[in-house]
Amino acid sequence: MATADITIIGLRTGPDSHASEYIAEIQRRLAAQDKVAYQLHGMGTSLEGSADDIFALAAELHKVPFELGVPRVYTVMKLDDPADRPAQTLADKVDSVKNRL
Amino acid sequence: MATADITIIGLRTGPDSHASEYIAEIQRRLAAQDKVAYQLHGMGTSLEGSADDIFALAAELHKVPFELGVPRVYTVMKLDDPADRPAQTLADKVDSVKNRL
Amino acid sequence: MATADITIIGLRTGPDSHASEYIAEIQRRLAAQDKVAYQLHGMGTSLEGSADDIFALAAELHKVPFELGVPRVYTVMKLDDPADRPAQTLADKVDSVKNRL
Amino acid sequence: MATADITIIGLRTGPDSHASEYIAEIQRRLAAQDKVAYQLHGMGTSLEGSADDIFALAAELHKVPFELGVPRVYTVMKLDDPADRPAQTLADKVDSVKNRL
């Protein structure tokens, strides 16, 4: 299992635009599938699933702002794939740090 | 105020290494300062403060794994600076999405 | 057409490891396909193609270090998709800046 | 010495905006300093220097779009710091891959 973080940014949207509009729609798309677990945070959305499923999902989510009229979309993604410790979840990663504090 | 996300990765650390060791030390450094608010999550640490303070802090945090013997450090950072809506916090960004769901 | 940048990092590889080994293999995989144009640079590989093709290719490239024995792989990607100016290439983006200098 | 890659993105700029305007100004600021070497490419600007100098420079460059009237700025940065092989340049990294092809 891999964990990832994705940020999808609308560009050239004008001074009155709100990113929360397309981010809310992205959250609805995430809720409508069950292959990849997800959690919204202040700088993006964390993902948990197979690397293949995460990349395929990212390709779908990247298109969402276009459907809402955004002219240009910029997506930033990072994906951590510890094949040697495949059971590790997002929560495990946080816990393993907190256990050392 | 800006919000940011930072991931600091140790490279060439060997098969038995645990990133949680230096991430825990990074959390202690964050706790020892009060210019930038922070929150650990599964794919990095979210930050909240002025852009200048965040970049200066990032430069300090980036050095922490070296102190613990990591031979090579790779840092990934994204910083969102809405000067037109400067009061926006990490929590505000999440709330503005949730209010649309 | 979209343009993108991908960095694929091997983790827990040991002090004598060389990233150039798996990056060279990634370049060979890129050479063996013709959907996405690519160019190696000092901090990653630039890509040019449809967003769908780029995400699908990223999923394949991400697996390459595992085939060479790397225990953990971390991929960082950014993808710029100007649907309003779809003809823009990587070279166009550089030229449009240089024309202003 | 570290190598890095920085992308500075203007948000809420409107449909007729051109990123090349502020990217050109960023290139002029880079040309006006001599601590950090730089090279523009299609997805960002590669940097080469000490990690401290790169973070300090990033903080300065991040402000440039605001001076040109951009309302919101989003900066993405990655920094590779191989303290165990400190002589490695951007060009060395590309060469070490090409030598294996």
Side-chain angles (χ1 to χ4, degrees), chain C residues 1-6 30 33-40 45-55 57 61 77-82 86-94, chain D residues 41-43:
Chain C
M1 189 169 56
T3 56
D5 186 79
I6 190 166
L30 284 162
Q33 58 82 47
D34 60 3
K35 286 186 177 169
V36 176
Y38 66 100
Q39 184 163 5
L40 179 67
T45 300
S46 299
L47 304 172
E48 189 180 286
S50 77
D52 276 347
D53 283 343
I54 289 171
F55 278 113
L57 182 62
L61 299 178
M77 188 174 160
K78 48 190 178 188
L79 188 148
D80 180 16
D81 198 355
Q88 198 172 45
T89 64
L90 289 164
D92 291 339
K93 291 170 79 176
V94 172
Chain D
H41 61 85
M43 287 297 293

Side-chain angles (χ1 to χ4, degrees), chain C residues 1-99:
Chain C
M1 189 169 56
T3 56
D5 186 79
I6 190 166
T7 301
I8 297 173
I9 306 168
L11 304 188
R12 291 203 277 261
T13 53
D16 299 324
S17 61
H18 289 270
S20 53
E21 290 182 25
Y22 57 79
I23 299 174
E25 183 60 25
I26 288 168
Q27 300 302 306
R28 283 188 280 266
R29 303 298 171 92
L30 284 162
Q33 58 82 47
D34 60 3
K35 286 186 177 169
V36 176
Y38 66 100
Q39 184 163 5
L40 179 67
H41 61 85
M43 286 299 291
T45 300
S46 299
L47 304 172
E48 189 180 286
S50 77
D52 276 347
D53 283 343
I54 289 171
F55 278 113
L57 182 62
E60 294 308 310
L61 299 178
H62 170 78
K63 294 172 195 166
V64 170
F66 290 129
E67 299 172 21
L68 303 185
V70 169
R72 181 177 179 175
V73 178
Y74 199 101
T75 291
V76 182
M77 188 174 160
K78 48 190 178 188
L79 188 148
D80 180 16
D81 198 355
D84 53 345
R85 297 173 197 168
Q88 198 172 45
T89 64
L90 289 164
D92 291 339
K93 291 170 79 176
V94 172
D95 288 346
S96 66
V97 173
K98 292 198 167 164
N99 289 341

